[in-house]
Amino acid sequence: MSASVIDGAKIARSVRERVAREVAELPTPPGLATVLVGDDPASAIYVSSKRKQCVQAGIRDLHRHLPGDITQEELADVISELSADPAVSGILLQLPLPDHLDAGALISRIHPDKDVDGLTEVSAGRLATGRPGLRPCTPSGVIELLDAAEIPITGAEAVVVGRSPLVGKPLAQLLLQRDATVTACHSRTEELAAVCRRADILVAAAGVPRLIGADAVKPGATVIDVGIHRREGRLCGDVDFDTVREVAGTITPVPGGVGPMTIAMLMANTVTAARRQSTRAGSPSGPASSA
Ligand code: NAD
């Protein structure tokens, strides 16, 4: 029997609509500062669609486009200035940066309460210790998809293939927080298919086209494909969709699965950040303290 297909585009739309309602209820609209360095065409497209969707939801567009030859110090100053600016609720530094810039050092300049990509060490620490904070967008999009599709997470065997700081590792932590029994696989995992076959929820985030075949899927499992690749002019994921859909119970397509969720969760994070900052502004510790 063919798996039911999760409609990520539809779920992302409902998240964006929820964000727009939440924005309308805030006393002042949140502001998102996207920071684009140089003229990489793919990055320019990503940033422009983030800005467009944010504006549609009522989020203020505080974009900065900076020259590709900007120095580390100059860019660090821009990020520090945005971190201190009360009009800026969230900061997104579009990656990759030109080779001469140290992305890690620049990300660490983003105030953790404005870290809408969830990439600072403070955000990673908050996630690892289960404290409130901003979570990376793609992994939280996966959780949102599972919830929207009413896939039970508590007590489920979850296998995450990939352990990057951007996707696999934070996703494993989010699933653990939701009381799944989590296995994290990576490039050195032995008998990958056998480990994956244990999963009630299998997430592929390895960056290897069609790595996950039907032999790696337990009948009836939920399969979430984070991978995205262009092959022979078509997009595909880390999952061999056509064969896996005959075994899985539920599956996400590529495109139209996890992809649309990432920007939707960025918008949701921007609202969360704005709320947190307005609460802090009213507290004795003042706005944006990094406690
Ligand atoms: P990455 O290259 O940083 O990490 C890949 C991870 O997969 C590593 O931990 C590695 O150990 C593991 N891996 C690699 N080969 C493997 C193998 N053969 N078996 C098991 N594990 C293996 O990649 P990333 O940034 O985490 O992204 C993963 C994929 O998700 C990519 O295709 C990327 O384009 C996609 N992605 C999509 C979105 C989205 O919005 N849909 C967002 C981020 C990343």
Side-chain angles (χ1 to χ4, degrees):
M1 214 183 74
S2 210
S4 69
V5 178
I6 297 179
D7 186 346
K10 186 173 164 198
I11 297 166
R13 188 160 55 245
S14 81
V15 172
R16 293 197 302 270
E17 287 166 3
R18 186 180 77 208
V19 167
R21 285 194 299 275
E22 289 172 352
V23 166
E25 283 164 12
L26 288 170
T28 50
L32 175 67
T34 45
V35 179
L36 176 65
V37 181
D39 296 303
D40 175 59
S43 293
I45 291 170
Y46 290 140
V47 168
S48 115
S49 69
K50 288 168 187 173
R51 293 171 64 198
K52 199 168 127 206
Q53 293 188 32
C54 282
V55 167
Q56 280 168 359
I59 294 170
R60 290 177 64 205
D61 177 17
L62 306 174
H63 176 64
R64 298 285 184 96
H65 187 183
L66 301 164
D69 61 357
I70 191 169
T71 66
Q72 179 84 13
E73 292 69 30
E74 287 166 338
L75 186 49
D77 286 348
V78 171
I79 293 172
S80 297
E81 179 206 319
L82 294 171
S83 282
D85 182 347
V88 174
S89 319
I91 302 168
L92 180 142
L93 178 61
Q94 183 66 38
L95 302 176
L97 293 173
D99 287 346
H100 68 281
L101 297 169
D102 175 353
L106 292 161
I107 287 169
S108 70
R109 291 267 179 156
I110 297 173
H111 193 287
D113 290 347
K114 299 188 177 189
D115 176 24
V116 285
D117 245 351
L119 293 182
T120 61
E121 289 173 8
V122 173
S123 295
R126 287 174 174 169
L127 171 58
T129 54
R131 291 182 56 214
L134 296 163
R135 311 308 193 205
C137 301
T138 303
S140 45
V142 170
I143 300 290
E144 188 82 28
L145 280 182
L146 291 170
D147 285 341
E150 299 183 347
I151 305 298
I153 301 177
T154 302
E157 281 269 359
V159 173
V160 180
V161 184
R163 59 172 167 185
S164 73
L166 189 66
V167 186
K169 202 175 285 180
L171 179 57
Q173 290 170 329
L174 287 172
L175 288 163
L176 197 55
Q177 275 176 17
R178 291 288 299 271
D179 299 317
T181 302
V182 182
T183 303
C185 296
H186 45 79
S187 51
R188 303 286 179 89
T189 296
E190 293 186 8
E191 306 291 347
L192 180 68
V195 178
C196 291
R197 269 198 308 275
R198 299 208 302 255
D200 303 308
I201 298 170
L202 174 61
V203 185
V208 179
R210 303 196 179 107
L211 174 69
I212 303 298
D215 63 325
V217 177
K218 175 159 98 176
T222 297
V223 179
I224 306 287
D225 192 352
V226 179
I228 183 145
H229 315 276
R230 188 169 288 281
R231 294 205 125 189
E232 294 145 16
R234 287 182 59 210
L235 291 179
C236 74
D238 286 359
V239 173
D240 185 10
F241 183 84
D242 290 338
T243 59
V244 168
R245 76 178 302 184
E246 298 306 324
V247 183
T250 310
I251 190 168
T252 59
V254 177
V258 174
M261 296 302 293
T262 299
I263 298 183
M265 300 317 290
L266 169 73
M267 294 161 63
N269 272 352
T270 304
V271 171
T272 303
R275 282 209 189 106
R276 188 177 166 95
Q277 286 153 38
S278 68
T279 310
R280 289 195 167 210
S283 80
S285 61
S289 83
S290 60

